[in-house]
Amino acid sequence: MTSYLPQHEGFLQYWLLLLSVVSIGNSVQSYLATSYTRRVYSAPETTVTPLHSRAFGTYTALASIIRLYAAYNITDPMLYHLALWTYVVALGHFYSEWLIFGTARWGKGLAGPVIISVGSLAWMVSQWRMYVR
């Protein structure tokens, strides 16, 4: 069973793999219902449509695929950069929806993705030299 896991030293690649699997689940959920997306975009005047939920799910699926490839090829500088940028884009999106557009409110729905994005981004930046040779 361990032969299916990434084969590099350290734990970052396992984290990327875990987040990829969880995020694919979130993508599927976003296609099936708007309830998860409504937790993130929870401002009272915000309407989350099925289209909006599916678009969110599509971006999440794309980011998950990039992170999955990076987990298995963590020493590849291009994939490492792409995975890192998925967190930058996610953070930019979540912060702008919260602080600029007002469609998201700070709470459980927004805190989870923001904390995961900030933590993952910081971890990836701090571990660049360990993985990319």
Side-chain angles (χ1 to χ4, degrees):
M1 186 71 162
T2 58
S3 64
Y4 293 108
L5 296 175
Q7 300 296 313
H8 298 284
E9 60 186 62
F11 296 102
L12 180 58
Q13 70 273 3
Y14 299 121
W15 176 249
L16 293 174
L17 176 62
L18 173 67
L19 290 182
S20 294
V21 171
V22 170
S23 295
I24 289 293
N26 288 342
S27 295
V28 170
Q29 185 178 11
S30 292
Y31 271 85
L32 298 176
T34 59
S35 58
Y36 172 74
T37 309
R38 281 189 194 145
R39 283 188 247 157
V40 176
Y41 305 99
S42 60
E45 64 281 351
T46 302
T47 301
V48 175
T49 66
L51 174 61
H52 180 242
S53 189
R54 290 189 305 271
F56 184 73
T58 300
Y59 165 76
T60 303
L62 179 59
S64 298
I65 292 165
I66 292 169
R67 294 169 189 161
L68 183 67
Y69 272 86
Y72 283 95
N73 300 282
I74 201 154
T75 58
D76 182 324
M78 183 70 72
L79 285 171
Y80 200 98
H81 270 125
L82 284 172
L84 197 138
W85 275 105
T86 65
Y87 292 112
V88 172
V89 170
L91 271 175
H93 171 72
F94 291 128
Y95 278 125
S96 67
E97 293 299 330
W98 174 34
L99 299 172
I100 297 170
F101 303 114
T103 58
R105 282 192 162 168
W106 189 255
K108 283 193 281 184
L110 183 61
V114 168
I115 290 168
I116 294 293
S117 294
V118 168
S120 299
L121 184 59
W123 194 0
M124 289 190 75
V125 168
S126 72
Q127 296 298 303
W128 168 266
R129 287 195 174 110
M130 177 179 171
Y131 291 106
V132 179
R133 297 178 182 103

